[in-house]
Amino acid sequence: MMDVKGLAELCLAGPHALLVIPKPIAFKPGERIRLAGRSGPLGRVLNVKENGDRLDVCASFDSTEILRWLVGNGMVRLASKQTIHGDAQ
């Protein structure tokens, strides 16, 4: 499981973040999915795989949208394009 700081660092590395998100319900490739809750960034489902009692959904997200969401919710503070400080507890 990735922490908030790790997610922000991943987003700084490139224009898209490919993430595997455990979900209790099925999604189809091409559908839109929220990273978290009802206000998280939207991504596009690439693949779905059964994993026991849940489904692992692989989705592509725009890194800029994830960073904007993390900073807007006070989860990370960006000192520059290359430096990330702290994460939410």
Side-chain angles (χ1 to χ4, degrees):
M1 173 133 321
M2 183 179 294
D3 64 2
V4 173
K5 185 176 179 181
L7 177 58
E9 289 171 348
L10 175 69
C11 290
L12 287 173
H16 300 283
L18 297 178
L19 303 172
V20 175
I21 307 164
K23 292 287 186 180
I25 59 173
F27 287 87
K28 294 179 185 173
E31 284 187 310
R32 310 261 307 163
I33 185 173
R34 291 240 180 236
L35 179 58
R38 295 182 181 188
S39 65
L42 281 169
R44 179 114 13 227
V45 174
L46 302 174
N47 193 17
V48 180
K49 182 179 177 185
E50 288 187 39
N51 187 355
D53 61 343
R54 70 171 196 259
L55 297 169
D56 286 341
V57 179
C58 178
S60 175
F61 294 87
D62 182 299
S63 293
T64 305
E65 292 299 317
I66 294 175
L67 287 171
R68 187 175 294 136
W69 178 69
L70 291 173
V71 170
N73 286 299
M75 294 182 205
V76 295
R77 180 174 46 97
L78 299 177
S80 70
K81 286 187 174 183
Q82 302 300 321
T83 309
I84 299 169
H85 295 284
D87 55 34
Q89 295 296 328

